[in-house]
Amino acid sequence: MPVPTAYDQPEPLQEAEQIELSQTAGPMHTGLRLDQVAAQMFPEYSRARLQEWIKEGQLTLNGEVMRAKDKVLEGDQVVLMAEMEAAIDFKPETMALDIVYEDDDVIVVNKPVGLVVHPAAGNYSGTLLNGLLAHCPELQTLPRAGIVHRLDKDTSGLMVVAKNLNAHQELVGQLQERTVSRHYHAVVYGVATAGGTVDAPIGRHQTQRQKRAVTDAADARPAVTHYRVVSRFRSHSHLLVQLETGRTHQIRVHMAHIGMPIVGDQAYGGRVKPPRGAVPALLDFLLTFKRQALHAGVLGFEHPRTGETMQWEAPMPADMQELLKLLELDRG
Protein backbone atom coordinates (compact mmCIF):
# COMPACT_ATOMS: atom_id res chain seq x y z
CA MET A 1 0.00 0.00 0.00
CA PRO A 2 1.16 3.59 -0.40
CA VAL A 3 3.41 4.78 2.42
CA PRO A 4 1.63 7.60 4.31
CA THR A 5 3.52 10.90 4.29
CA ALA A 6 2.67 14.38 5.50
CA TYR A 7 1.20 16.84 3.06
CA ASP A 8 0.46 20.55 3.14
CA GLN A 9 -2.97 20.70 1.54
CA PRO A 10 -5.37 17.76 1.92
CA GLU A 11 -6.87 16.55 -1.32
CA PRO A 12 -10.34 15.00 -1.61
CA LEU A 13 -10.38 11.33 -0.70
CA GLN A 14 -11.83 9.04 -3.33
CA GLU A 15 -14.02 6.09 -2.43
CA ALA A 16 -12.08 2.93 -1.67
CA GLU A 17 -12.31 0.24 -4.32
CA GLN A 18 -14.11 -2.89 -3.12
CA ILE A 19 -12.32 -6.04 -4.28
CA GLU A 20 -14.19 -9.36 -4.27
CA LEU A 21 -12.36 -12.15 -6.13
CA SER A 22 -12.27 -15.93 -5.81
CA GLN A 23 -10.35 -18.67 -7.61
CA THR A 24 -9.84 -22.40 -7.18
CA ALA A 25 -6.30 -23.75 -7.10
CA GLY A 26 -5.32 -26.11 -9.89
CA PRO A 27 -2.66 -28.83 -10.11
CA MET A 28 -0.03 -26.24 -11.07
CA HIS A 29 -0.52 -24.54 -7.68
CA THR A 30 -0.02 -27.64 -5.51
CA GLY A 31 2.85 -27.19 -3.07
CA LEU A 32 3.36 -23.49 -3.73
CA ARG A 33 3.21 -20.80 -1.04
CA LEU A 34 -0.08 -18.94 -0.65
CA ASP A 35 1.50 -15.62 -1.62
CA GLN A 36 2.99 -17.21 -4.76
CA VAL A 37 -0.37 -18.62 -5.76
CA ALA A 38 -2.10 -15.32 -5.04
CA ALA A 39 0.40 -13.50 -7.25
CA GLN A 40 -0.42 -15.89 -10.11
CA MET A 41 -4.17 -15.67 -9.59
CA PHE A 42 -4.33 -11.90 -9.09
CA PRO A 43 -1.44 -10.47 -11.14
CA GLU A 44 -2.97 -6.99 -11.18
CA TYR A 45 -1.84 -6.52 -7.56
CA SER A 46 1.74 -6.42 -6.31
CA ARG A 47 3.22 -9.29 -4.32
CA ALA A 48 3.76 -6.93 -1.36
CA ARG A 49 0.14 -5.83 -1.35
CA LEU A 50 -1.10 -9.42 -1.54
CA GLN A 51 1.16 -10.37 1.38
CA GLU A 52 -0.28 -7.51 3.40
CA TRP A 53 -3.82 -8.66 2.64
CA ILE A 54 -2.86 -12.18 3.76
CA LYS A 55 -1.52 -10.77 7.05
CA GLU A 56 -4.69 -8.77 7.57
CA GLY A 57 -6.94 -11.76 6.87
CA GLN A 58 -8.44 -10.23 3.75
CA LEU A 59 -7.00 -12.94 1.49
CA THR A 60 -8.00 -16.34 2.83
CA LEU A 61 -7.52 -20.01 1.98
CA ASN A 62 -10.62 -22.19 2.28
CA GLY A 63 -12.18 -19.53 4.47
CA GLU A 64 -9.31 -19.54 6.95
CA VAL A 65 -6.75 -16.85 7.73
CA MET A 66 -3.35 -18.30 6.82
CA ARG A 67 0.29 -17.26 6.58
CA ALA A 68 1.93 -16.24 3.34
CA LYS A 69 4.24 -19.27 3.49
CA ASP A 70 1.46 -21.83 3.97
CA LYS A 71 1.19 -24.33 1.13
CA VAL A 72 -1.73 -24.58 -1.30
CA LEU A 73 -3.27 -27.81 -2.65
CA GLU A 74 -5.32 -28.47 -5.76
CA GLY A 75 -8.96 -27.64 -5.14
CA ASP A 76 -8.23 -25.08 -2.43
CA GLN A 77 -10.35 -21.93 -2.59
CA VAL A 78 -8.46 -18.62 -2.55
CA VAL A 79 -10.73 -15.68 -1.75
CA LEU A 80 -9.76 -12.01 -1.82
CA MET A 81 -12.15 -9.64 -0.03
CA ALA A 82 -10.39 -6.32 0.43
CA GLU A 83 -10.51 -2.58 0.02
CA MET A 84 -8.02 -0.81 -2.21
CA GLU A 85 -7.53 2.41 -0.29
CA ALA A 86 -7.29 5.67 -2.16
CA ALA A 87 -3.73 6.81 -2.84
CA ILE A 88 -3.47 9.88 -0.64
CA ASP A 89 -1.04 11.25 1.88
CA PHE A 90 -2.06 11.71 5.49
CA LYS A 91 -1.51 14.93 7.39
CA PRO A 92 -0.23 14.93 10.99
CA GLU A 93 -2.67 16.77 13.26
CA THR A 94 -1.97 17.62 16.87
CA MET A 95 -4.70 16.30 19.14
CA ALA A 96 -5.09 15.11 22.71
CA LEU A 97 -4.43 11.37 22.85
CA ASP A 98 -5.18 9.24 25.91
CA ILE A 99 -2.00 7.15 25.81
CA VAL A 100 -1.97 4.56 28.59
CA TYR A 101 1.40 3.01 27.65
CA GLU A 102 4.26 3.72 25.26
CA ASP A 103 7.78 2.42 24.68
CA ASP A 104 10.12 2.09 21.68
CA ASP A 105 7.90 -0.56 20.06
CA VAL A 106 4.24 0.03 20.87
CA ILE A 107 1.66 2.63 21.81
CA VAL A 108 -1.49 1.62 23.69
CA VAL A 109 -4.16 4.28 23.36
CA ASN A 110 -7.63 4.62 24.87
CA LYS A 111 -9.80 5.80 21.96
CA PRO A 112 -12.78 8.01 22.85
CA VAL A 113 -16.28 7.72 21.40
CA GLY A 114 -16.69 9.63 18.15
CA LEU A 115 -13.08 9.42 16.94
CA VAL A 116 -12.59 7.73 13.56
CA VAL A 117 -9.52 5.47 13.57
CA HIS A 118 -8.40 5.65 9.92
CA PRO A 119 -9.08 8.17 7.13
CA ALA A 120 -11.83 7.17 4.73
CA ALA A 121 -14.32 8.87 2.44
CA GLY A 122 -15.72 11.84 4.32
CA ASN A 123 -13.12 11.58 7.11
CA TYR A 124 -9.71 12.30 5.59
CA SER A 125 -8.63 14.37 8.61
CA GLY A 126 -9.31 14.50 12.33
CA THR A 127 -8.75 10.76 12.74
CA LEU A 128 -6.71 8.81 15.25
CA LEU A 129 -4.16 8.12 12.50
CA ASN A 130 -3.68 11.87 11.95
CA GLY A 131 -3.12 12.37 15.66
CA LEU A 132 -0.69 9.47 15.89
CA LEU A 133 1.40 10.89 13.03
CA ALA A 134 1.74 14.18 14.92
CA HIS A 135 2.65 12.38 18.14
CA CYS A 136 5.09 9.96 16.50
CA PRO A 137 6.25 11.08 13.00
CA GLU A 138 8.20 7.86 12.37
CA LEU A 139 4.87 6.07 11.98
CA GLN A 140 4.77 7.53 8.46
CA THR A 141 7.00 4.68 7.29
CA LEU A 142 4.63 1.92 8.47
CA PRO A 143 1.52 0.43 6.85
CA ARG A 144 -1.51 2.36 8.14
CA ALA A 145 0.81 4.29 10.47
CA GLY A 146 1.28 1.18 12.62
CA ILE A 147 -2.44 0.61 13.27
CA VAL A 148 -2.96 -3.16 13.35
CA HIS A 149 -6.62 -3.31 14.43
CA ARG A 150 -9.50 -0.86 14.59
CA LEU A 151 -12.48 0.15 16.64
CA ASP A 152 -15.68 1.56 15.17
CA LYS A 153 -16.12 5.34 15.43
CA ASP A 154 -18.67 5.05 18.25
CA THR A 155 -16.91 2.26 20.13
CA SER A 156 -14.48 3.41 22.81
CA GLY A 157 -11.50 1.68 24.34
CA LEU A 158 -8.02 0.25 24.02
CA MET A 159 -6.01 -0.19 20.83
CA VAL A 160 -2.36 -1.06 20.21
CA VAL A 161 -0.24 0.67 17.58
CA ALA A 162 3.14 -0.63 16.37
CA LYS A 163 6.03 1.84 16.20
CA ASN A 164 8.34 -0.14 13.91
CA LEU A 165 8.06 -2.82 11.25
CA ASN A 166 9.19 -5.69 13.48
CA ALA A 167 6.58 -4.82 16.08
CA HIS A 168 3.96 -4.43 13.35
CA GLN A 169 4.65 -7.87 11.90
CA GLU A 170 4.73 -9.50 15.34
CA LEU A 171 1.42 -7.94 16.45
CA VAL A 172 -0.31 -8.82 13.17
CA GLY A 173 0.93 -12.38 13.67
CA GLN A 174 -0.50 -12.49 17.20
CA LEU A 175 -3.84 -11.26 15.90
CA GLN A 176 -3.82 -13.96 13.23
CA GLU A 177 -2.92 -16.60 15.81
CA ARG A 178 -5.76 -15.29 18.03
CA THR A 179 -3.43 -14.76 21.01
CA VAL A 180 -4.26 -11.08 21.53
CA SER A 181 -6.69 -10.74 24.45
CA ARG A 182 -9.55 -8.33 23.73
CA HIS A 183 -12.46 -7.98 26.15
CA TYR A 184 -15.37 -5.58 25.66
CA HIS A 185 -18.08 -4.30 27.97
CA ALA A 186 -21.45 -4.38 26.20
CA VAL A 187 -24.92 -3.42 27.37
CA VAL A 188 -27.50 -5.38 25.40
CA TYR A 189 -31.26 -5.79 25.14
CA GLY A 190 -32.51 -9.02 26.67
CA VAL A 191 -31.81 -10.88 29.90
CA ALA A 192 -29.03 -13.39 29.31
CA THR A 193 -29.53 -16.55 31.36
CA ALA A 194 -25.87 -17.56 31.05
CA GLY A 195 -22.73 -16.92 29.09
CA GLY A 196 -22.03 -18.58 25.78
CA THR A 197 -20.23 -18.59 22.46
CA VAL A 198 -21.42 -17.39 19.07
CA ASP A 199 -19.65 -19.27 16.28
CA ALA A 200 -21.18 -17.94 13.06
CA PRO A 201 -19.47 -16.74 9.86
CA ILE A 202 -19.77 -13.08 8.93
CA GLY A 203 -19.83 -11.57 5.44
CA ARG A 204 -21.21 -8.51 3.70
CA HIS A 205 -24.93 -7.89 3.98
CA GLN A 206 -26.65 -8.97 0.77
CA THR A 207 -28.41 -5.66 0.13
CA GLN A 208 -26.73 -3.10 2.41
CA ARG A 209 -23.07 -3.32 1.44
CA GLN A 210 -21.82 -1.12 4.29
CA LYS A 211 -23.21 -3.59 6.82
CA ARG A 212 -22.19 -7.11 7.79
CA ALA A 213 -24.38 -10.12 8.51
CA VAL A 214 -24.21 -13.73 9.62
CA THR A 215 -24.26 -15.64 6.33
CA ASP A 216 -23.13 -18.81 4.63
CA ALA A 217 -22.22 -16.92 1.43
CA ALA A 218 -18.89 -17.61 -0.24
CA ASP A 219 -17.40 -14.36 1.07
CA ALA A 220 -18.20 -15.13 4.72
CA ARG A 221 -15.30 -15.59 7.10
CA PRO A 222 -15.20 -17.56 10.36
CA ALA A 223 -16.13 -15.48 13.40
CA VAL A 224 -16.18 -16.54 17.06
CA THR A 225 -17.36 -14.41 19.98
CA HIS A 226 -17.48 -15.47 23.64
CA TYR A 227 -19.53 -13.70 26.29
CA ARG A 228 -20.34 -13.94 29.99
CA VAL A 229 -22.85 -12.14 32.16
CA VAL A 230 -21.67 -9.35 34.47
CA SER A 231 -25.11 -8.10 35.54
CA ARG A 232 -28.76 -8.78 34.68
CA PHE A 233 -31.47 -6.14 34.77
CA ARG A 234 -35.21 -6.23 34.11
CA SER A 235 -34.82 -6.34 30.33
CA HIS A 236 -31.12 -5.71 29.71
CA SER A 237 -27.79 -7.37 30.42
CA HIS A 238 -24.26 -6.14 31.00
CA LEU A 239 -21.93 -8.56 29.23
CA LEU A 240 -18.17 -9.01 29.08
CA VAL A 241 -17.43 -10.08 25.52
CA GLN A 242 -14.22 -11.69 24.30
CA LEU A 243 -13.20 -11.68 20.65
CA GLU A 244 -11.53 -14.78 19.29
CA THR A 245 -11.58 -13.43 15.72
CA GLY A 246 -11.74 -9.82 14.59
CA ARG A 247 -14.29 -9.31 11.83
CA THR A 248 -15.80 -5.94 10.99
CA HIS A 249 -18.69 -5.15 13.40
CA GLN A 250 -18.31 -8.68 14.82
CA ILE A 251 -19.71 -8.14 18.31
CA ARG A 252 -22.55 -5.98 17.02
CA VAL A 253 -23.51 -8.52 14.37
CA HIS A 254 -23.23 -11.56 16.64
CA MET A 255 -25.20 -10.02 19.50
CA ALA A 256 -27.99 -8.99 17.13
CA HIS A 257 -27.91 -12.48 15.60
CA ILE A 258 -28.69 -14.13 18.95
CA GLY A 259 -31.46 -11.65 19.75
CA MET A 260 -29.50 -9.45 22.17
CA PRO A 261 -28.58 -6.35 20.11
CA ILE A 262 -26.38 -3.73 21.71
CA VAL A 263 -28.17 -0.75 23.21
CA GLY A 264 -27.91 2.33 21.00
CA ASP A 265 -26.61 0.48 17.94
CA GLN A 266 -27.97 2.50 15.03
CA ALA A 267 -27.10 -0.14 12.41
CA TYR A 268 -27.96 -3.44 14.09
CA GLY A 269 -29.95 -2.56 17.22
CA GLY A 270 -33.40 -1.91 15.84
CA ARG A 271 -35.89 0.27 17.70
CA VAL A 272 -35.49 1.31 21.32
CA LYS A 273 -37.02 -1.27 23.68
CA PRO A 274 -37.44 0.25 27.17
CA PRO A 275 -38.71 -2.08 29.90
CA ARG A 276 -42.39 -1.82 30.73
CA GLY A 277 -42.87 0.79 33.43
CA ALA A 278 -39.29 2.07 33.16
CA VAL A 279 -38.33 4.95 35.43
CA PRO A 280 -38.57 8.21 33.43
CA ALA A 281 -34.82 8.90 33.66
CA LEU A 282 -34.00 5.55 32.05
CA LEU A 283 -36.63 6.00 29.35
CA ASP A 284 -35.27 9.44 28.45
CA PHE A 285 -31.71 8.14 28.44
CA LEU A 286 -32.47 5.21 26.15
CA LEU A 287 -34.29 7.45 23.68
CA THR A 288 -31.29 9.77 23.38
CA PHE A 289 -28.46 7.20 23.52
CA LYS A 290 -27.44 7.10 19.86
CA ARG A 291 -24.24 5.04 19.84
CA GLN A 292 -23.55 1.39 20.56
CA ALA A 293 -22.93 0.72 24.26
CA LEU A 294 -19.66 -1.04 23.56
CA HIS A 295 -16.25 -0.42 25.14
CA ALA A 296 -12.94 -2.23 24.60
CA GLY A 297 -12.01 -2.38 28.25
CA VAL A 298 -9.19 -4.95 28.36
CA LEU A 299 -6.28 -5.45 25.96
CA GLY A 300 -3.44 -7.93 26.38
CA PHE A 301 -0.64 -9.30 24.20
CA GLU A 302 2.94 -10.49 24.27
CA HIS A 303 5.35 -7.60 23.91
CA PRO A 304 6.77 -7.85 20.38
CA ARG A 305 10.38 -7.39 21.54
CA THR A 306 10.59 -8.91 25.03
CA GLY A 307 7.86 -11.55 24.82
CA GLU A 308 6.50 -10.36 28.17
CA THR A 309 2.75 -10.80 28.64
CA MET A 310 1.23 -7.34 29.15
CA GLN A 311 -2.33 -6.25 29.84
CA TRP A 312 -4.19 -2.95 30.33
CA GLU A 313 -7.67 -1.96 31.44
CA ALA A 314 -9.60 1.22 30.65
CA PRO A 315 -12.74 2.26 32.56
CA MET A 316 -16.02 2.56 30.72
CA PRO A 317 -16.84 6.07 29.46
CA ALA A 318 -19.24 8.19 31.46
CA ASP A 319 -22.28 7.55 29.26
CA MET A 320 -22.08 3.78 29.68
CA GLN A 321 -21.55 4.13 33.41
CA GLU A 322 -24.64 6.34 33.59
CA LEU A 323 -26.64 3.80 31.57
CA LEU A 324 -25.72 1.03 34.01
CA LYS A 325 -26.63 3.22 37.00
CA LEU A 326 -30.07 3.93 35.52
CA LEU A 327 -30.63 0.24 34.76
CA GLU A 328 -29.77 -0.57 38.37
CA LEU A 329 -32.12 2.17 39.59
CA ASP A 330 -34.90 0.80 37.38
CA ARG A 331 -34.42 -2.67 38.86
CA GLY A 332 -35.41 -1.24 42.24
Side-chain angles (χ1 to χ4, degrees):
M1 67 174 289
V3 176
T5 56
Y7 60 91
D8 295 325
Q9 297 296 328
E11 296 185 4
L13 181 65
Q14 303 299 315
E15 290 282 355
E17 175 192 354
Q18 301 293 327
I19 304 167
E20 301 181 11
L21 300 171
S22 177
Q23 288 202 35
T24 302
M28 75 291 293
H29 299 127
T30 296
L32 296 180
R33 291 166 50 111
L34 176 56
D35 57 350
Q36 293 174 316
V37 174
Q40 294 178 17
M41 290 180 169
F42 314 118
E44 62 269 38
Y45 305 111
S46 70
R47 180 82 166 266
R49 186 181 294 277
L50 291 167
Q51 288 173 334
E52 182 181 341
W53 282 334
I54 292 171
K55 288 179 182 179
E56 295 175 350
Q58 297 184 78
L59 194 158
T60 59
L61 185 66
N62 299 323
E64 297 289 337
V65 177
M66 308 294 282
R67 298 167 299 177
K69 66 181 181 180
D70 287 331
K71 298 298 190 293
V72 175
L73 299 176
E74 181 179 0
D76 283 349
Q77 195 74 14
V78 180
V79 176
L80 175 59
M81 295 288 298
E83 289 185 353
M84 177 75 80
E85 295 181 356
I88 66 165
D89 294 326
F90 301 126
K91 180 182 179 181
E93 298 177 27
T94 301
M95 66 177 64
L97 297 175
D98 184 4
I99 294 175
V100 299
Y101 177 82
E102 182 175 8
D103 60 23
D104 291 339
D105 299 289
V106 298
I107 301 171
V108 177
V109 61
N110 184 20
K111 187 191 85 68
V113 173
L115 181 62
V116 174
V117 170
H118 192 280
N123 290 290
Y124 61 81
S125 64
T127 72
L128 177 62
L129 183 146
N130 298 110
L132 287 168
L133 287 177
H135 172 76
C136 185
E138 56 265 38
L139 295 178
Q140 293 174 348
T141 64
L142 298 177
R144 303 189 183 192
I147 295 172
V148 296
H149 64 120
R150 306 189 193 188
L151 294 176
D152 295 334
K153 174 184 176 182
D154 289 329
T155 297
S156 57
L158 295 170
M159 296 177 52
V160 60
V161 178
K163 292 180 67 175
N164 54 64
L165 189 57
N166 286 337
H168 185 273
Q169 293 173 340
E170 174 63 26
L171 289 170
V172 168
Q174 290 187 41
L175 285 164
Q176 291 178 346
E177 296 294 328
R178 304 181 182 181
T179 58
V180 175
S181 177
R182 291 173 289 172
H183 293 78
Y184 294 68
H185 290 277
V187 183
V188 302
Y189 290 109
V191 181
T193 57
T197 295
V198 185
D199 185 349
I202 292 176
R204 289 190 181 276
H205 194 283
Q206 285 188 343
T207 59
Q208 302 177 57
R209 302 301 287 171
Q210 297 304 311
K211 293 177 62 174
R212 301 299 193 272
V214 170
T215 175
D216 57 2
D219 69 335
R221 296 163 63 189
V224 180
T225 303
H226 308 283
Y227 65 94
R228 65 177 179 85
V229 180
V230 179
S231 300
R232 298 181 184 88
F233 304 99
R234 288 205 298 129
S235 60
H236 297 77
S237 299
H238 173 197
L239 305 179
L240 190 63
V241 183
Q242 180 181 3
L243 281 179
E244 183 172 321
T245 54
R247 310 306 177 208
T248 300
H249 300 172
Q250 178 174 320
I251 295 175
R252 299 163 64 188
V253 171
H254 271 173
M255 290 298 101
H257 177 66
I258 63 173
M260 292 191 295
I262 296 175
V263 171
D265 193 330
Q266 300 300 294
Y268 304 99
R271 64 181 180 83
V272 176
K273 310 176 190 68
R276 185 181 299 274
V279 296
L282 174 60
L283 178 58
D284 291 343
F285 194 90
L286 289 173
L287 291 173
T288 58
F289 194 85
K290 299 298 184 181
R291 67 98 173 178
Q292 59 268 13
L294 187 62
H295 171 69
V298 180
L299 175 67
F301 54 85
E302 290 186 2
H303 191 278
R305 184 186 300 270
T306 68
E308 177 187 359
T309 299
M310 308 182 77
Q311 182 169 290
W312 297 267
E313 295 188 30
M316 283 182 286
D319 59 351
M320 284 187 63
Q321 294 188 40
E322 179 66 17
L323 173 59
L324 290 172
K325 288 179 181 178
L326 290 172
L327 288 170
E328 183 68 33
L329 176 65
D330 181 73
R331 183 162 57 181

